[in-house]
Amino acid sequence: MPTTGPEPSAIVLAELKALGDRVPELTGTLVASTDGLLIAHDLPPHIEPNGMAALTASQLSLSHRVATTAHGGGFDEVVVNGSAGNVVIYAAGWAAALTVLAGPGVNVGRLHLESRPAARAIGEHLAARTKDQRRQQVSNTDGKE
């Protein structure tokens, strides 16, 4: 039986829009897989989404490696403070990352307060969707020889 409901990117995009509504200083958001594939985005026109997804995956991988090497633990988030704004990448489960772009005046504590639960919700949704797709694949192959 096929899964019903909106495509995963539509659900994730709704989460990104809601995050933007809660934190008005956001200038863009993106969700990418750990291998750099774009899942959903709400980015300004001057930022190329596929390129940003690839950068997100690279930073995620590097940050995970630094955290593991330095402390033996996992990766939760990385904050890049720039002169023109902030970029924060949050782990969204094991297979994705949420990237949040914000202006220089953003309250980073508030940003974390709103973005961390969004990253968890996105990660849980993507994991559940993947689990459903795997079940569907197994049920489709059960009747074949």
Side-chain angles (χ1 to χ4, degrees):
M1 172 154 93
T3 57
T4 60
E7 288 298 312
S9 60
I11 293 169
V12 173
L13 187 57
E15 187 72 41
L16 297 181
K17 297 250 186 232
L19 180 58
D21 290 344
R22 292 190 306 270
V23 184
E25 297 86 2
L26 290 188
T27 57
T29 53
L30 172 138
V31 176
S33 67
T34 54
D35 55 359
L37 298 175
L38 180 64
I39 295 171
H41 77 90
D42 186 14
L43 293 172
H46 69 277
I47 298 177
E48 202 283 312
N50 289 309
M52 193 66 180
L55 290 169
T56 292
S58 295
Q59 183 65 48
L60 180 69
S61 177
L62 180 62
S63 297
H64 183 272
R65 181 65 185 245
V66 168
T68 302
T69 301
H71 300 290
F75 166 80
D76 293 320
E77 65 202 38
V78 62
V79 180
V80 179
N81 295 312
S83 60
N86 301 282
V87 179
V88 187
I89 300 173
Y90 300 90
W94 290 101
L98 166 65
T99 298
V100 177
L101 312 176
V106 71
N107 177 327
V108 177
R110 169 83 190 275
L111 183 66
H112 289 325
L113 184 68
E114 298 292 347
S115 299
R116 287 171 179 156
R120 277 193 299 275
I122 289 167
E124 289 168 2
H125 168 71
L126 294 174
R129 189 67 177 202
T130 300
K131 189 175 182 180
D132 289 346
Q133 288 171 342
R134 287 187 182 144
R135 270 195 222 128
Q136 181 65 31
Q137 288 172 343
V138 168
S139 68
N140 287 342
T141 59
D142 283 346
K144 297 179 183 176
E145 296 197 21

